[in-house]
Amino acid sequence: MKFKQLHRWPLMILLAVLIGISAATTVVLANNNTLTVTASVVNVRFGPGLSYNTMGQVQKGGNLTILKKQNSWYQVRLAGNRVGWVASWLVHEDAATTSAAKVARTTTNVNVRQYASSSAKQLGTLSSGSTVSVLYQSNGWSQIQYNNTAAWVDSSLLQLTGATTTINPTQTAIATAKATTPTLKATTTLAANVRQTAGLNAAVVTRIAKGATVTVLSQSGDWYHVRTADGKTGYIASWILSMPGASTNKAATKLSEATIVIDPGHGGNDTGALSTSGKYEKTYTLQMAKAVGAKLEAAGAKVVYTRSTDTYVDLAPRPVVAKKVHADAFISFHFDSTPNANTASGFTSYYYNASKDKALATNLNKALGSNLSLTNRGIAFGNYEVLRDNDQPSVLLEMGYINDDHDFKFIESSTYQQTVAADIVNGMNAYFAAGNHQ
Ligand SMILES: [Zn+2]
C-alpha cells in the first residue's frame, strides 16, 4: 500500500480546514439546502477537485447540508461542523426537504443542543408549550429552527401539531448535518512528540510510538492539531504523519472533477515571437488559451488562467498558480519560430518530467494529431521553466510556427483555435479515463 505524506497537502487544504474551523466557531448563515447521496459511497474531499485528498466518506442515502456550489462540486458541512466537497453527479440536491418545516409543540421544558446528542453544548431552553419549526428528525432527535440557527432537541419531548410552516432559508444557519463521516486518521511514521503549539520549540505534551494512530483535528501550516488514542491533544509535524486511506481513494475519472490551469505564453511587453507580418505570439497564445478554457469549462472543469488579459506575467509565478489551486493539469500555450521564416512547420507537445508529465503530453498530442491540418511533430522533452518548476502534471504546447506563413494562417483562425480546444477536451478526457491522475 502506498502511503501519502500529509505534508504534501497544499495550501488549499489548509484553507479548507481553516474554513472548517471558522465555521465551527461562528454562526454561519447558509441556504438551508440539503443533498442526498445517490452513489453507493461518496468521497468527501478537502477541495473541489479529484486531486484533493479524501477527508471522509458518506454512504448512499446520507444527507449533507450545502454551503455553496462551485463548478461541479458542492461544498458541504459534515458532522462536527467540518467542511468538505463532494462531486455533484454523485448526489441529488433536494430543495424540498427545507422549504417546509413541521410545526411542533414542546410537551415539557426542553434543552436545546448544538448537535443531536445529550452531551452536546446547550444553546438554551424552551419552556413547555413552546412552538418550534422542525427541519427534520433522525434517530430520536429533531433539528429545529432556533434563534436563527439550527439546533437539536430530543424528539420525545415534542408533539407534532400536524401543521407545516415555511422556513426562510437565508435566516436559518445550519449548525450541523445528519451525515456521519469517519474522522480523519493519520499514522506516525516515526516516534513523535506531540507539542503544545505548532513548532519544534514548543513544549512536549506527550510522546507517541511509531505507527500510532491519531485523529487529525485541524491543520496549522506544516503542523497538525491531533488527538491521540488516549485523548491528549497537541500538535505533530505533518512530515512524520501518513494517512493510510489516501492510496485507496477511488478518484472519479472525470474531467469535470478537475482543475486545469491554462497558461497563455508571454504577455504585455513580452510579445513573444513574431509572424512574418509582425503579429505578436502573445496575442494568439491568449486567444487559444481562452478558446481552450471555454471548452474545458463547458465540459465542467474548473479553469484558472495565469493571465487572461494582455499583461506581463513573469515565468516564475506561473507554476506557482498550478500549485496554489492544486491543479490536475497545467497547459501552457506557445507558438514556435525559427531564425529564418518559412523553414519549419507543425505542432509539438513538450513535457519535462517523464513520470509526472509524459502521460498528459501523450494524451493531448494524440487528440491534437487526430484532426489538425498541421504536421504533428510529436511529444518531446522540453526544459522550460514553467514545466521544470511545476509540481503538477504539466505540458507546453507549441501549436505551430508563427513565422511560417502556412502555419500562421491556421494560428490566427478561430476554426483552428476551436478545433485545438475540442481536441484538448478529448485529450483530457482520455487522460483521466486512463487513470492518469493522483
Ligand atoms: Zn513562446
Side-chain angles (χ1 to χ4, degrees):
M1 184 192 254
K2 215 175 86 194
F3 283 76
K4 194 143 205 154
Q5 296 298 314
L6 286 173
H7 70 264
R8 288 190 198 140
W9 295 2
L11 181 68
M12 289 305 285
I13 291 171
L14 167 65
L15 292 177
V17 171
L18 290 178
I19 289 164
I21 294 166
S22 71
T25 53
T26 56
V27 173
V28 180
L29 288 174
N31 280 320
N32 189 12
N33 277 352
T34 63
L35 51 81
T36 305
V37 172
T38 52
S40 62
V41 65
V42 167
N43 285 329
V44 182
R45 294 180 182 275
F46 278 102
L50 63 87
S51 58
Y52 290 91
N53 276 345
T54 301
M55 61 189 289
Q57 294 184 320
V58 183
Q59 306 295 318
K60 184 171 185 169
N63 290 103
L64 297 164
T65 301
I66 300 169
L67 298 177
K68 67 175 177 185
K69 190 171 182 191
Q70 182 180 314
N71 201 32
S72 299
W73 290 77
Y74 288 110
Q75 189 185 44
V76 295
R77 189 183 302 290
L78 308 170
N81 264 331
R82 292 184 302 140
V83 173
W85 295 83
V86 294
S88 63
W89 60 91
L90 303 174
V91 296
H92 175 256
E93 183 174 349
D94 35 15
T97 57
T98 59
S99 55
K102 289 176 180 167
V103 177
R105 205 163 285 130
T106 55
T107 54
T108 177
N109 291 344
V110 175
N111 291 330
V112 181
R113 308 247 174 217
Q114 192 172 12
Y115 304 114
S117 161
S118 54
S119 58
K121 184 181 169 191
Q122 188 176 332
L123 300 177
T125 310
L126 291 168
S127 54
S128 183
S130 302
T131 301
V132 295
S133 302
V134 177
L135 302 170
Y136 61 74
Q137 296 183 300
S138 167
N139 295 327
W141 287 87
S142 296
Q143 190 180 36
I144 62 164
Q145 188 178 27
Y146 182 75
N147 288 346
N148 284 337
T149 185
W152 296 85
V153 295
D154 185 330
S155 294
S156 67
L157 310 177
L158 292 181
Q159 198 161 34
L160 294 171
T161 64
T164 57
T165 183
T166 309
I167 301 283
N168 180 353
T170 57
Q171 286 180 4
T172 304
I174 297 308
T176 185
K178 183 173 140 192
T180 54
T181 56
T183 45
L184 182 61
K185 299 280 188 187
T187 310
T188 53
T189 56
L190 297 166
N193 288 320
V194 180
R195 297 179 185 273
Q196 218 153 49
T197 58
L200 288 169
N201 297 325
V204 175
V205 175
T206 185
R207 194 169 159 78
I208 55 176
K210 177 182 174 180
T213 299
V214 295
T215 303
V216 177
L217 304 172
S218 63
Q219 183 176 5
S220 173
D222 280 338
W223 292 74
Y224 286 87
H225 189 212
V226 300
R227 185 167 53 234
T228 63
D230 59 358
K232 293 191 173 114
T233 57
Y235 290 81
I236 292 186
S238 60
W239 56 89
I240 52 171
L241 285 179
S242 73
M243 188 172 70
S247 60
T248 59
N249 295 343
K250 268 223 143 118
T253 55
K254 294 206 176 198
L255 176 57
S256 49
E257 274 199 317
T259 300
I260 314 287
V261 170
I262 301 288
D263 177 48
H266 313 283
N269 50 26
D270 169 16
T271 62
L274 302 181
S275 72
T276 59
S277 53
K279 300 276 180 58
Y280 301 140
E281 181 188 350
K282 66 169 185 177
T283 307
Y284 304 100
T285 57
L286 186 57
Q287 283 180 9
M288 183 154 284
K290 286 190 167 170
V292 171
K295 278 224 172 15
L296 286 171
E297 276 173 350
K302 181 186 179 188
V303 173
V304 178
Y305 296 92
T306 56
R307 72 176 177 96
S308 56
T309 56
D310 181 20
T311 45
Y312 177 76
V313 180
D314 209 349
L315 288 177
R318 297 181 190 235
V320 174
V321 173
K323 186 174 182 157
K324 246 187 200 160
V325 302
H326 211 52
D328 299 290
F330 172 100
I331 307 172
S332 186
F333 288 99
H334 285 260
F335 299 100
D336 263 323
S337 74
T338 47
N340 299 314
N342 296 310
T343 54
S345 170
F347 63 92
T348 316
S349 310
Y350 288 98
Y351 65 93
Y352 178 79
N353 181 324
S355 60
K356 178 170 68 68
D357 307 332
K358 202 171 176 179
L360 182 62
T362 304
N363 278 281
L364 292 181
N365 185 264
K366 196 175 166 195
L368 292 165
S370 69
N371 59 2
L372 293 185
S373 304
L374 299 192
T375 308
N376 185 356
R377 301 171 72 104
I379 66 166
F381 169 80
N383 188 7
Y384 296 106
E385 183 172 344
V386 295
L387 302 183
R388 197 172 59 234
D389 291 348
N390 215 314
D391 290 340
Q392 311 303 118
S394 50
V395 292
L396 187 147
L397 304 178
E398 296 275 10
M399 290 312 305
Y401 280 77
I402 194 167
N403 68 343
D404 179 85
D405 291 341
H406 171 260
D407 282 15
F408 186 66
K409 273 203 197 85
F410 287 97
I411 291 167
E412 67 175 346
S413 94
S414 82
T415 309
Y416 179 73
Q417 294 168 4
Q418 292 298 327
T419 308
V420 169
D423 288 346
I424 299 274
V425 170
N426 291 337
M428 289 307 305
N429 277 326
Y431 172 76
F432 286 116
N436 291 302
H437 48 74
Q438 297 175 24

